[in-house]
Amino acid sequence: MAGEKNQKIADLATATKDVHDKSWRITSDYGVKQNNTDHWLSVASEDKTGPMLLEDPFGREKIHRFDHERIPERVVHARGAGAHGKFTLLESASDVTSAGILTDTSCETPIFVRFSTVLGSRGSADTVRDVRGFAVKFYTQEGNWDIVGNNIPVFFIQDAMKFPDVIHAGKPEPHNEIPQAQSAHNNFWDFQFMHPEATHMFMWAMSDRTIPRSYRMMQGFGVNTFTLMNDKGERHFVKFIWTPELGVHSFVWDEALKIAGQDPDFHRKDLWAAIEAGSYPKWRFGIQVIPESKEHDFDFDILDATKVWPEELVPIRYIGQLELNRNVDEYFTQTEQVAFCTSHIVPGIGFSNDPLLQGRNFSYQDTQLSRLGVNWEELPINKPVCPVMNFNRDGAMRHTITKGTVNYWPNRFQTVPPAIQEEGGYVEYAEKIVGMKARMKSSKFKEHKNQAELFYNSLSAPEKSHVLNALGFELDHCDDPVVYGRMTTRLAEIDLELAQQVAEMVGGEMPQEQTRPKHNKTAKGLSQLDYAPEEPTIATRMIAIIIADGYDAIAYNGIKAALTAAGALPFTISPRRNKIFAAGEDKSTGTGVTADHHLEGMRSTLFDSVFVPGGAQSVETLRKNGRAVHWIREAFGHLKAIGATGEAVMFVKDACNLPGMEFSTSGETVDSYGVVTTAQVNPQSFKEALQMAKGAKDFV
Ligand code: HDD
């Protein structure tokens, strides 16, 4: 791939074969061209089918290879979607680190990102309520650096030794393997109660963060505390943050539930389609930095992964940008075989004594050994773009052929010595550690509720009500009264009103008092509303324009053009996926429009917004179509912006059927519910409503 700027893509090209190259002929794995791959060699004649011969090397090879196609799915984060892209540093952080990738603003670093859900199997649905993984591999000139993060800044547990417990409790229950990809079951909530340290995280898990509208519209967090070292030998603690340019947006729960059935690949497709369309998703890269001397200045331990560093105390410094701009050529060899390790760091970046991170550093390398084998870092997607040389040898599936007579260091030839620091050798920060050997942590690790309350206090009213409904849903799915009954007592430590509402909904103890004094503080950056883009945008939003024969072509073409100009993706939906003709258009000579989908093929849930142009005959047809009415009603119920012109105004009004809603068939009305109706098409108001409705989610 001559001229390819992305060094990793160029590197991958050397391992890539194109199936569409017409010169290929089918061969066996050992290179012999095959003449017939449809019929197993057998003893047969025209009038008699005889036994198949074990002798057939091609038949056996084909079946053997098929039998072994699968590798173990990831024990967590099994379902995911990945893409290539680049990282650009916009501002040098040389005051705090010597890492080339965080100091050299002239270089663009190739990256691969894999998003995932945590609990479900590889084939589970995308839109389930779950934490999302956000793992980034930077192919830097100094080696691979992985930030293996989530879309929530905190974690359920403080110590890695508890990881098997939290995952066992969340995964399907052991006796019947139910439920798939759900936290709504007894064991998950039993674990949450038994571990007060999980309180902060489960509040996040019950918020809109766990039902993102798109991978492209969620934040990413390294979660753990890492360290940065600069040229002066100074060390800082650091947290890594990704913030999407499109803002942070979520589904409403009913949408997420329905899409899990209607389109289980919704997020995977959404990412794929945006990249194919050239609407490259972008994130700002931020760091929060605390000098080593200030480690103990906070009322929480900064090494505790169940805590955020509130922005008021530790501001985020945005220094870079991540862009995803290329889909994979093959899912298995890239998205499935990519393997991340928190232990992959480069000079200038280090670990902290965060007890969750330290355990993770052991776990990831270990899991790759069983998932991919000892030579997993030779796989094309995992291979660094910088030179790799050492005396690690052999093992299953070794690819590199290393010439020479020695395979150890030091050797009599003085060959392949370690690199000194000036040559880029990684030198650990010399940290003085004094302590007792004991299974314990600092006393600040024992406080678990303050930030759970801080998070809840910081949410907007609609977000709070979503937390209530999520808890109501989840605990309703627990059938053990012990499990759902006592959760309300935990919630009473956070917010009495919430606890009482949950108790009312799901049963269990009705708390009478706030059992932990509230601090009533709030912090910025915890509510999703804090991330509305400075310039509101509807780029990449999917808008369904519903028409039938006799539609108003001016309104249809007008809104379509306006939406396209704003970077949105209009789709035409009609009763049939065949040509639809406008009012006055002659069917024998007119061109008509070909609908992208028919009303039964899709659902309103799969679009961000719905628009119905006028046209007496079209609207009359839609009125009589129960599915069309359902589209409007459902979109309204999911708080989506709905637009209508001309005759469609009354159709929308009747479909939504809400008292007090203002409608206009003459002048323009933008109803407070986000419904825009007008006699003449005015795309601007509709665009504004669209931005509001899904961006702010003001209504419950
Ligand atoms: Fe983990 C995968 C994120 C704690 C052990 N983890 C995995 C992935 C992500 C995270 C995004 C998928 C990577 C990919 O796409 O291939 N994990 C986290 C975060 C954590 C966390 C943000 C808390 C801060 N994880 C954690 C602990 C342990 C693990 C405490 C074990 C002690 N995680 C694993 C694993 C996985 C994994 C078993 C499964 C597949 C893999 O590593 O490559 O080793």
Side-chain angles (χ1 to χ4, degrees), residues 484-510:
Y484 64 80
R486 66 190 180 181
M487 272 320 290
T488 54
T489 62
R490 177 64 38 78
L491 292 170
E493 295 179 67
I494 308 306
D495 187 276
L496 180 61
E497 200 186 334
L498 172 68
Q500 289 176 332
Q501 287 169 323
V502 171
E504 182 72 22
M505 265 174 117
V506 302
E509 284 175 53
M510 177 58 74

Side-chain angles (χ1 to χ4, degrees), residues 393-408:
R393 285 296 152 91
D394 307 348
M397 298 299 146
R398 177 68 169 170
H399 277 48
T400 309
I401 301 165
T402 323
K403 272 195 335 190
T405 56
V406 287
N407 53 2
Y408 53 88

Side-chain angles (χ1 to χ4, degrees), residues 83-88 90 108 111 113 115 134 136 214-220 241-249 270-271 274-275 277-286 318 320-326 531-533 537 539-540:
H84 295 279
K86 62 178 183 187
F87 175 77
T88 320
L90 303 172
E108 256 178 34
I111 51 97
V113 174
F115 302 110
F134 194 128
V136 184
S214 161
Y215 289 138
R216 303 176 292 122
M217 300 171 197
M218 60 183 204
Q219 284 188 293
I241 296 125
W242 303 104
T243 294
E245 285 202 345
L246 292 171
V248 181
H249 305 277
D270 167 275
L271 179 67
I275 294 174
S279 304
Y280 301 142
K282 295 189 183 69
W283 286 260
R284 288 185 294 151
F285 174 70
Y318 283 102
Q321 191 196 55
L322 169 71
E323 175 187 289
L324 295 182
N325 52 25
R326 191 185 163 102
Y531 297 98
T537 174
T540 77

Side-chain angles (χ1 to χ4, degrees), residues 74-77 114-116 132-135 148-150 155 157 159-161 163-164 221-224 305 338-340 356 359-360 363-364 367-368 371:
R74 288 166 174 82
V75 59
V76 278
H77 295 265
R114 183 173 179 274
F115 302 110
S116 49
R132 298 300 186 284
F134 194 128
V148 198
N150 281 340
F155 204 59
I157 49 169
D159 187 315
M161 204 160 165
F163 193 66
F221 303 91
V223 182
N224 291 120
V338 71
F340 300 86
L356 195 71
R360 292 182 76 193
S363 183
Y364 288 75
T367 209
Q368 312 314 351
R371 205 167 68 83

